[in-house]
Amino acid sequence: MSTAMNFSSKSFKPRAPDKGSFPLDHFGECKDFKEKFMRCLKDNSYDNSLCRVQSKDYLECRMEHQLMAKEPLQKLGYKDLIDPPSPSGEADKNTKP
């Protein structure tokens, strides 16, 4: 019986990380945003729906510092927090010339 292992038969193929996994913030570039988000969660009994603005800000910081891939905020579920419809814009549509 041979107990020798042959490592050359399989080669390692690197792959991109799964979506949602990203580097740690070793330099604390987004620490303030993370702490605001965590404080909001704690203050709101960990109901993340009440902390969406802080969550969005944290993800924007991570994207700006290349700690995660840039993604459109709409794709991340923040469409309603981007360019909310202005009341003055709606009034302009309803007025007659």
Side-chain angles (χ1 to χ4, degrees):
M1 281 195 231
S2 175
T3 59
M5 298 178 106
N6 186 355
F7 290 105
S8 63
S9 65
K10 289 186 179 181
S11 63
F12 176 72
K13 294 180 183 176
R15 65 179 180 89
D18 295 332
K19 190 160 185 88
S21 62
F22 39 79
L24 296 176
D25 187 5
H26 292 289
F27 301 110
E29 295 168 298
C30 298
K31 185 178 180 180
D32 291 339
F33 291 101
K34 179 189 80 168
E35 288 177 356
K36 286 178 188 174
F37 175 57
M38 296 304 291
R39 188 171 32 253
C40 178
L41 285 174
K42 187 176 180 183
D43 292 346
N44 290 290
S45 302
Y46 298 94
D47 181 355
N48 64 350
S49 65
L50 301 174
C51 302
R52 294 186 69 243
V53 172
Q54 293 83 353
S55 167
K56 178 185 76 71
D57 293 343
Y58 176 57
L59 292 176
E60 284 180 315
C61 178
R62 290 193 65 88
M63 288 188 278
E64 287 171 13
H65 291 93
Q66 289 142 10
L67 294 168
M68 66 180 281
K70 289 196 179 220
E71 293 276 347
L73 290 172
Q74 297 90 329
K75 217 173 160 184
L76 297 174
Y78 296 102
K79 184 176 182 177
D80 60 319
L81 298 179
I82 306 164
D83 300 327
S86 65
S88 61
E90 292 175 10
D92 293 340
K93 293 178 187 176
N94 296 330
T95 57
K96 295 181 181 179

